[in-house]
Amino acid sequence: MTTLFRPKNLNRIIILLIAIAYTSAFCSKSRNGRVKCPLQSTPEEKAEALRQQAQKLKEEVRAFDEAKQEVINKEKRKREKVVAEKLERRLRYSAEVPILKGNGVEEEERVDFPPMVGGENESFIFSVEADLPLGLILGEDEGGLPALRVDELIESGNAANSGIQVGDILRACTATQTTMETPTWQLLAGGIGQPKTKRFMYSTDGRPFEEVMDAIGSNRMDPDERPAVLVFERVEKN
């Protein structure tokens, strides 16, 4: 009895299957019906295949770079938002006031005043300049805050004209102090020195009522006759 699967026939079948598999995996049919395989491609076709692969790789790289840049931009926007929020808070809870330096010269500086009332972003700090007499009445806070509030204002008074309102909380003010200053040569000669009045910022937080009133009144002794600088905190009304 003759078998169909002799060693010689088996080898032919294996070769045929390999050819079919190769054709299915790597070859394609053109419009005219011709089967094209990589080994049969012309130089132009090979160049076109390489160009397509390069274009695909280029698009993948571009997509990766765009995704990477988007992550960078997102982080940048996040940082900028944090910085903007910090700046907004700093401006809300600070004021520019005259600061007396060690050399006796005043310089305008922004000073922070942590909020004393309300929740986050419910109040803000501001400063005004007003001549004495101010035309206002200060009183201790009924809610127990360690600060003085504006209880009353004289209509068209200096305080009212500067923008101060009833309920504002006094946080700081300018004050003056007179000291005796004696040059070294006078000390050696037994001199007693000369009085000199300096203006400085005085924090009113937690200070006694009488002491705060004396500090405000001391602005009358300013040799340059400058208006008093006062810093207030105001609760925003909804």
Side-chain angles (χ1 to χ4, degrees), residues 218-237:
S218 71
N219 284 274
R220 293 188 177 91
M221 304 301 294
D222 182 8
D224 296 326
E225 298 182 350
R226 291 165 292 187
V229 178
L230 303 104
V231 179
F232 289 91
E233 179 176 355
R234 178 179 297 169
V235 176
E236 291 187 314
K237 299 178 181 179

Side-chain angles (χ1 to χ4, degrees), residues 85 109 164 166 176 208 226:
E85 290 176 349
E109 289 187 4
I164 298 172
V166 172
T176 63
R226 291 165 292 187

Side-chain angles (χ1 to χ4, degrees), residues 108-124:
E108 291 287 327
E109 289 187 4
R110 181 163 291 277
V111 178
D112 296 325
F113 293 88
M116 184 176 288
V117 296
E120 189 68 17
N121 298 332
E122 291 186 6
S123 65
F124 63 94

Side-chain angles (χ1 to χ4, degrees), residues 23-34:
T23 301
S24 300
F26 301 101
C27 300
S28 61
K29 183 177 294 185
S30 63
R31 293 181 178 179
N32 57 14
R34 292 183 57 190

